[in-house]
Amino acid sequence: MKEGVSVSKGDYLSINDLLELFKAGYLVMRSGHLGNHYFSNLLLYSLGIPCHVFDRNLLLRDTNFHPSCIIYRNQRIKIAKEEEVLVPFAQFCSETKMDSPFVNGSFSPAKVHYDSLKNIFGKDLVWSESDFLFENSELVEKLVTLMAKFKPELFQRVVNSKGETYQNKTNLKNIVQEVLVFNEKSCLKLQQAEVDFSSGIIPSIEVTVLLTTLIGVMTTGKRKVFEISGPSMINYALGKCFTKNINEIYLYLKGKIFDLPDAVEMVVVPSFDFRLGSLLSEKDEMDDLWDNLKKISLLKKEKGEMINNISCGDWFPDVQVDSRLGIIQEFEGKIKNVFRDIASSKRIFERMDFSYKNSVGVIALKNNFFSQYDLIASGEKLYVPEEILSLSMKKVANNYHLIESAQKQFA
């Protein structure tokens, strides 16, 4: 590991690998926003991956997790007023049915979303960003004090009493206190209706990621943390500019805090295509789908071996060409039949199919998808075939793309 902070892609890791790392004491978590969580995340949480809820998202700008509504049975049920505020400051709108089973008399839309995850997956495996930082206030204070002296411009995002955010140059003396106050008050916003709050500071994304990483390193004694990520974090965290920025901060901290390790690694694990699962009641259908996916790779391997045998054999050139063509046509037919069987699992695929590429090629979430509220309403558990848990995230993604291909051919 080179000196400083390195960011690497962990698509070679499996769910079983991540669970073993978590058991061994490493910080392992899937971060997702306060709002509606899609099927990939729900599968991960159901398997025991901790859920780190980012609660500093803006109500109207978060077009992925749709925090202004409840997504249920392919419908969007509006619950929040149309305001440009942080989600914990959101208020119920007039359409909200306070006696609905999801809202159930809660005092805020944010609490509805947060409690829904805690109730399904357990309080020990679900925490908010503010909870995490507040519980480690001493470390946060120590680190932010130094960061603010080094680069005060990293702390210019101010939050007012209404939850509105704006950029403002802040008095250096107030930065640390304003960060700590916001962490504490944001936790309280998810616990009680009335919170006395005037203003606070949300650090830049570089500081936020570095704080989380260093808290993980300093509290576990491990030099690696494992951030299981959606498509957005993969895009910026592996960028040279982002790595350069956090390294500048870290090397400054290392010169001031002598017990920091020389090298720290943040492993970003892409999980967006971890979609191979179903409701437990669909176990047999999911097992059939998985068996068909395995057939594809076996058929491709068999085809390759047969073609290789022809190439290595003592064949006339014309016979070689005809034989290869015959094998290719035979196996294309077999694979096409398996694809047709894969495409028949439409009910399972609809749950997996929650994303699309927008007009500029950026992956985004659909307006309607299977969320935690569907899971609550069903009263069911989620199911993933055991073999899938030992596959790398890269191999899982490849298998999901086979399902996509089958659906495109036989929709």
Side-chain angles (χ1 to χ4, degrees):
M1 229 187 289
K2 66 178 183 179
E3 187 178 10
V5 181
S6 60
V7 184
S8 62
K9 189 175 183 179
D11 59 353
Y12 58 89
L13 292 164
S14 69
I15 290 295
N16 283 341
D17 292 332
L18 292 165
L19 292 175
E20 283 298 315
L21 288 163
F22 181 50
K23 187 178 177 181
Y26 287 88
L27 178 63
V28 177
M29 62 187 191
R30 167 63 174 111
S31 55
H33 293 184
L34 202 54
N36 297 272
H37 282 245
Y38 44 86
F39 194 57
S40 174
N41 287 357
L42 301 180
L43 288 174
L44 293 170
Y45 305 150
S46 72
L47 294 168
I49 298 295
C51 169
H52 179 99
V53 183
F54 187 76
D55 57 340
R56 287 127 193 256
N57 49 326
L58 284 162
L59 185 69
L60 297 182
R61 291 191 206 171
D62 192 342
T63 55
N64 275 351
F65 289 82
H66 308 287
S68 64
C69 66
I70 285 173
I71 297 177
Y72 169 60
R73 289 185 176 174
N74 291 324
Q75 297 179 3
R76 293 164 57 85
I77 304 167
K78 188 178 175 184
I79 61 170
K81 288 183 180 179
E82 300 286 336
E83 298 175 287
E84 187 65 29
V85 297
L86 294 172
V87 178
F89 291 80
Q91 298 179 338
F92 286 118
C93 61
S94 57
E95 297 99 312
T96 307
K97 295 180 179 179
M98 299 305 294
D99 59 348
S100 74
F102 301 131
V103 175
N104 197 24
S106 184
F107 60 75
S108 74
K111 186 167 176 59
V112 172
H113 291 313
Y114 193 42
D115 285 354
S116 66
L117 294 171
K118 281 183 169 285
N119 291 338
I120 303 173
F121 303 111
K123 295 179 180 178
D124 292 337
L125 285 181
V126 179
W127 61 78
S128 74
E129 173 102 352
S130 296
D131 287 334
F132 183 78
L133 295 176
F134 180 61
E135 287 173 6
N136 294 281
S137 290
E138 288 186 14
L139 273 177
V140 172
E141 182 174 10
K142 183 177 183 179
L143 293 167
V144 170
T145 298
L146 292 169
M147 290 181 188
K149 288 180 180 177
F150 178 56
K151 282 194 173 183
E153 64 270 22
L154 297 170
F155 299 88
Q156 292 184 358
R157 190 182 178 200
V158 178
V159 185
N160 65 20
S161 60
K162 297 178 182 179
E164 300 164 332
T165 66
Y166 53 94
Q167 297 292 319
N168 189 42
K169 290 187 177 180
T170 313
N171 188 323
L172 184 60
K173 293 180 181 178
N174 298 332
I175 288 178
V176 178
Q177 190 59 31
E178 292 272 290
V179 169
L180 294 174
V181 164
F182 181 76
N183 291 340
E184 179 184 7
K185 300 299 184 183
S186 188
C187 292
L188 291 174
K189 290 288 284 185
L190 291 176
Q191 298 172 23
Q192 61 191 61
E194 297 297 329
V195 175
D196 179 23
F197 175 76
S198 57
S199 68
I201 290 176
I202 300 176
S204 71
I205 189 66
E206 292 92 346
V207 171
T208 299
V209 170
L210 192 54
L211 280 175
T212 303
T213 300
L214 293 185
I215 289 169
V217 168
M218 297 169 82
T219 56
T220 65
K222 312 287 188 180
R223 296 191 180 191
K224 288 186 180 183
V225 299
F226 296 85
E227 174 82 37
I228 303 165
S229 161
S232 298
M233 188 171 186
I234 285 289
N235 288 336
Y236 70 74
L238 294 172
K240 290 182 180 179
C241 185
F242 181 81
T243 306
K244 177 177 176 289
N245 290 342
I246 60 174
N247 263 291
E248 285 180 357
I249 304 168
Y250 184 74
L251 292 174
Y252 175 81
L253 294 175
K254 182 70 181 69
K256 304 293 182 181
I257 305 173
F258 300 109
D259 55 347
L260 279 177
D262 290 335
V264 168
E265 185 176 2
M266 181 176 73
V267 183
V268 184
V269 184
S271 67
F272 194 62
D273 288 326
F274 189 90
R275 311 186 190 197
L276 305 187
S278 69
L279 296 178
L280 187 57
S281 61
E282 300 162 345
K283 179 181 183 300
D284 291 344
E285 187 179 347
M286 185 62 218
D287 285 340
D288 287 343
L289 175 58
W290 175 233
D291 286 342
N292 280 320
L293 287 169
K294 289 187 289 184
K295 286 178 187 176
I296 296 293
S297 59
L298 290 173
L299 286 170
K300 287 181 176 180
K301 182 180 178 182
E302 187 180 350
K303 181 182 77 171
E305 288 173 349
M306 291 182 71
I307 290 175
N308 188 55
N309 288 337
I310 291 172
S311 300
C312 296
D314 189 15
W315 298 69
F316 291 108
D318 290 345
V319 175
Q320 276 193 357
V321 171
D322 290 343
S323 298
R324 284 197 200 101
L325 184 60
I327 290 170
I328 290 169
Q329 289 174 340
E330 177 189 353
F331 278 90
E332 280 182 351
K334 289 180 179 180
I335 290 171
K336 187 174 183 179
N337 288 335
V338 178
F339 266 38
R340 188 179 285 107
D341 290 339
I342 289 172
S344 68
S345 301
K346 290 182 179 178
R347 179 175 55 175
I348 288 179
F349 179 72
E350 283 175 3
R351 206 172 290 121
M352 299 176 180
D353 185 28
F354 51 75
S355 66
Y356 68 99
K357 282 190 177 181
N358 63 20
S359 58
V360 292
V362 175
I363 295 173
L365 294 190
K366 295 182 176 180
N367 284 331
N368 304 316
F369 51 79
F370 184 94
S371 79
Q372 70 261 35
Y373 298 104
D374 292 288
L375 194 56
I376 291 169
S378 73
E380 286 203 57
K381 301 291 185 183
L382 295 176
Y383 168 71
V384 178
E386 188 70 28
E387 287 177 292
I388 293 171
L389 303 184
S390 60
L391 294 182
S392 71
M393 287 295 186
K394 186 173 184 178
K395 287 183 178 178
V396 171
N398 289 341
N399 276 286
Y400 172 67
H401 296 320
L402 287 176
I403 299 175
E404 282 189 307
S405 297
Q407 290 293 330
K408 287 175 182 176
Q409 285 187 46
F410 300 101

